[in-house]
Amino acid sequence: MNTRNVSLPRRGLLLGLAAGASLGLAGCGFELRKAPVFAFKSLSVSGNSAMINQIRRELRATGTVTVMSAEDASKADVVLEILGEDRNRIVISTNSAGLVRELQLQLKVRFKLRTPGGKDLLPPTDVSQTRDLSFNETNALAKEGEADLLFRDMQSDIAQQLMRRLAALKEI
């Protein structure tokens, strides 16, 4: 019977310590990421590539911005221009027979943000991502599929970076 009495105060002590620790963490400033807040309500982006479609999806997912077509660019608050999109594969290393052993995949997007009147809000800016990919000629088809997945991952990362840059704009 004494063991029950001893364990109850320990449980209370442990619960008290756990509650104190959770209160300490609550005040540390941690907060889940929220949808970005933009200084504009409508945006026009022209073009039809995989990258541009990813950007449109990200903007629509925020729920705070109306994405307009290129024909309605004059009615939009801002116009996002994708100036260039480069996908590169660079050979990093080869084996003794001269066959590729490792590749570096690069995706670079150049964009600018302006008003329909032509005022630049964000000057031409580059956002890029790189990934390394080991290569084996016997599994060339599988490695090609892996490269495509890595390019899609980089595309998604760049779209997220672009969203953060657009959200950093405080006034039009």
Side-chain angles (χ1 to χ4, degrees):
M1 216 177 256
N2 280 341
T3 56
R4 272 191 180 174
N5 292 339
V6 171
S7 65
L8 286 178
R10 280 190 189 167
R11 284 187 196 159
L13 177 67
L14 289 175
L15 286 174
L17 288 174
S22 65
L23 286 175
L25 285 176
C28 75
F30 175 77
E31 185 177 351
L32 292 175
R33 185 177 296 176
K34 297 178 186 175
V37 178
F38 299 105
F40 48 87
K41 298 293 179 206
S42 61
L43 177 135
S44 171
V45 59
S46 61
N48 193 19
S49 70
M51 184 73 224
I52 292 171
N53 291 335
Q54 179 73 30
I55 292 167
R56 283 189 181 119
R57 276 192 299 274
E58 294 286 338
L59 284 165
R60 286 187 183 113
T62 64
T64 60
V65 175
T66 303
V67 180
M68 304 177 99
S69 64
E71 295 83 33
D72 297 329
S74 61
K75 298 175 187 173
D77 294 339
V78 294
V79 176
L80 177 66
E81 291 183 26
I82 304 298
L83 304 172
E85 181 180 337
D86 295 325
R87 291 176 180 236
N88 295 316
R89 294 172 189 236
I90 300 168
V91 175
I92 295 176
S93 65
T94 58
N95 64 12
S96 61
L99 299 173
V100 175
R101 298 292 297 167
E102 193 171 8
L103 292 171
Q104 184 177 60
L105 307 176
Q106 295 179 339
L107 179 60
K108 183 170 100 172
V109 176
R110 185 171 181 81
F111 70 94
K112 78 175 191 175
L113 187 69
R114 64 174 177 82
T115 62
K119 176 186 170 192
D120 280 345
L121 300 172
L122 289 175
T125 306
D126 291 336
V127 180
S128 63
Q129 290 276 312
T130 60
R131 300 284 192 277
D132 291 338
L133 175 68
S134 63
F135 191 79
N136 186 347
E137 59 279 347
T138 59
N139 296 333
L141 191 57
K143 288 297 179 177
E144 194 64 33
E146 186 178 351
D148 289 343
L149 286 173
L150 288 171
F151 272 122
R152 272 186 270 172
D153 182 50
M154 289 188 288
Q155 191 173 286
S156 177
D157 285 350
I158 287 176
Q160 288 290 323
Q161 286 182 32
L162 199 135
M163 292 301 110
R164 288 190 290 275
R165 290 189 187 203
L166 293 177
L169 185 68
K170 296 301 175 195
E171 62 182 46
I172 299 175

